[in-house]
PDB file of all heavy atoms in Angstrom:
ATOM      1  N   ALA A 170      97.269 108.629  45.826  1.00 98.00           N
ATOM      2  CA  ALA A 170      96.601 109.773  45.035  1.00 98.00           C
ATOM      3  C   ALA A 170      96.107 109.264  43.637  1.00 98.00           C
ATOM      4  O   ALA A 170      95.091 109.750  43.184  1.00 98.00           O
ATOM      5  CB  ALA A 170      97.466 110.970  45.024  1.00 98.00           C
ATOM      6  N   ALA A 171      96.965 108.462  43.060  1.00 98.00           N
ATOM      7  CA  ALA A 171      96.550 108.024  41.674  1.00 98.00           C
ATOM      8  C   ALA A 171      95.193 107.187  41.668  1.00 98.00           C
ATOM      9  O   ALA A 171      94.675 107.114  40.555  1.00 98.00           O
ATOM     10  CB  ALA A 171      97.748 107.068  41.116  1.00 98.00           C
ATOM     11  N   ASP A 172      94.907 106.732  42.774  1.00 98.00           N
ATOM     12  CA  ASP A 172      93.642 106.023  42.812  1.00 98.00           C
ATOM     13  C   ASP A 172      92.498 106.782  43.429  1.00 98.00           C
ATOM     14  O   ASP A 172      91.302 106.273  43.549  1.00 98.00           O
ATOM     15  CB  ASP A 172      93.780 104.638  43.619  1.00 98.00           C
ATOM     16  CG  ASP A 172      94.798 103.822  43.062  1.00 98.00           C
ATOM     17  OD1 ASP A 172      94.831 103.662  41.858  1.00 98.00           O
ATOM     18  OD2 ASP A 172      95.526 103.155  43.863  1.00 98.00           O
ATOM     19  N   PHE A 173      92.707 108.010  43.878  1.00 98.00           N
ATOM     20  CA  PHE A 173      91.664 108.711  44.688  1.00 98.00           C
ATOM     21  C   PHE A 173      90.775 109.563  43.922  1.00 98.00           C
ATOM     22  O   PHE A 173      89.572 109.597  44.122  1.00 98.00           O
ATOM     23  CB  PHE A 173      92.444 109.638  45.678  1.00 98.00           C
ATOM     24  CG  PHE A 173      91.523 110.334  46.694  1.00 98.00           C
ATOM     25  CD1 PHE A 173      90.797 109.673  47.606  1.00 98.00           C
ATOM     26  CD2 PHE A 173      91.342 111.703  46.508  1.00 98.00           C
ATOM     27  CE1 PHE A 173      90.000 110.294  48.609  1.00 98.00           C
ATOM     28  CE2 PHE A 173      90.306 112.435  47.379  1.00 98.00           C
ATOM     29  CZ  PHE A 173      89.655 111.711  48.388  1.00 98.00           C
ATOM     30  N   PHE A 174      91.336 110.212  42.809  1.00 98.00           N
ATOM     31  CA  PHE A 174      90.401 111.062  41.947  1.00 98.00           C
ATOM     32  C   PHE A 174      89.829 110.236  40.834  1.00 98.00           C
ATOM     33  O   PHE A 174      90.426 109.624  40.082  1.00 98.00           O
ATOM     34  CB  PHE A 174      91.288 112.188  41.415  1.00 98.00           C
ATOM     35  CG  PHE A 174      92.007 112.928  42.390  1.00 98.00           C
ATOM     36  CD1 PHE A 174      93.375 112.758  42.647  1.00 98.00           C
ATOM     37  CD2 PHE A 174      91.453 113.842  43.303  1.00 98.00           C
ATOM     38  CE1 PHE A 174      94.101 113.424  43.664  1.00 98.00           C
ATOM     39  CE2 PHE A 174      92.073 114.620  44.393  1.00 98.00           C
ATOM     40  CZ  PHE A 174      93.378 114.334  44.492  1.00 98.00           C
ATOM     41  N   VAL A 175      88.504 110.083  40.895  1.00 97.00           N
ATOM     42  CA  VAL A 175      87.833 109.109  40.086  1.00 97.00           C
ATOM     43  C   VAL A 175      87.037 109.854  38.970  1.00 97.00           C
ATOM     44  O   VAL A 175      86.646 109.130  37.966  1.00 97.00           O
ATOM     45  CB  VAL A 175      87.088 108.041  40.829  1.00 97.00           C
ATOM     46  CG1 VAL A 175      87.949 107.243  41.669  1.00 97.00           C
ATOM     47  CG2 VAL A 175      85.983 108.654  41.552  1.00 97.00           C
ATOM     48  N   GLY A 176      86.709 110.991  39.106  1.00 96.00           N
ATOM     49  CA  GLY A 176      85.866 111.850  38.160  1.00 96.00           C
ATOM     50  C   GLY A 176      85.722 113.291  38.506  1.00 96.00           C
ATOM     51  O   GLY A 176      86.224 113.624  39.461  1.00 96.00           O
ATOM     52  N   MET A 177      84.896 114.025  37.731  1.00 94.00           N
ATOM     53  CA  MET A 177      84.883 115.397  38.040  1.00 94.00           C
ATOM     54  C   MET A 177      84.343 115.622  39.473  1.00 94.00           C
ATOM     55  O   MET A 177      83.194 115.211  39.802  1.00 94.00           O
ATOM     56  CB  MET A 177      83.804 115.950  37.056  1.00 94.00           C
ATOM     57  CG  MET A 177      83.427 117.386  37.331  1.00 94.00           C
ATOM     58  SD  MET A 177      84.733 118.574  37.008  1.00 94.00           S
ATOM     59  CE  MET A 177      84.686 118.845  35.283  1.00 94.00           C
ATOM     60  N   MET A 178      85.095 116.144  40.347  1.00 95.00           N
ATOM     61  CA  MET A 178      84.881 116.298  41.737  1.00 95.00           C
ATOM     62  C   MET A 178      84.375 115.164  42.410  1.00 95.00           C
ATOM     63  O   MET A 178      83.462 115.237  43.360  1.00 95.00           O
ATOM     64  CB  MET A 178      83.959 117.500  41.972  1.00 95.00           C
ATOM     65  CG  MET A 178      84.573 118.809  41.346  1.00 95.00           C
ATOM     66  SD  MET A 178      83.468 120.296  41.254  1.00 95.00           S
ATOM     67  CE  MET A 178      83.950 121.060  42.693  1.00 95.00           C
ATOM     68  N   ALA A 179      84.838 113.963  42.049  1.00 97.00           N
ATOM     69  CA  ALA A 179      84.401 112.760  42.686  1.00 97.00           C
ATOM     70  C   ALA A 179      85.653 111.943  43.036  1.00 97.00           C
ATOM     71  O   ALA A 179      86.730 111.998  42.283  1.00 97.00           O
ATOM     72  CB  ALA A 179      83.620 111.842  41.651  1.00 97.00           C
TER      73      ALA A 179
END
Side-chain angles (χ1 to χ4, degrees):
D172 299 324
F173 185 70
F174 305 104
V175 298
M177 173 68 81
M178 299 171 96

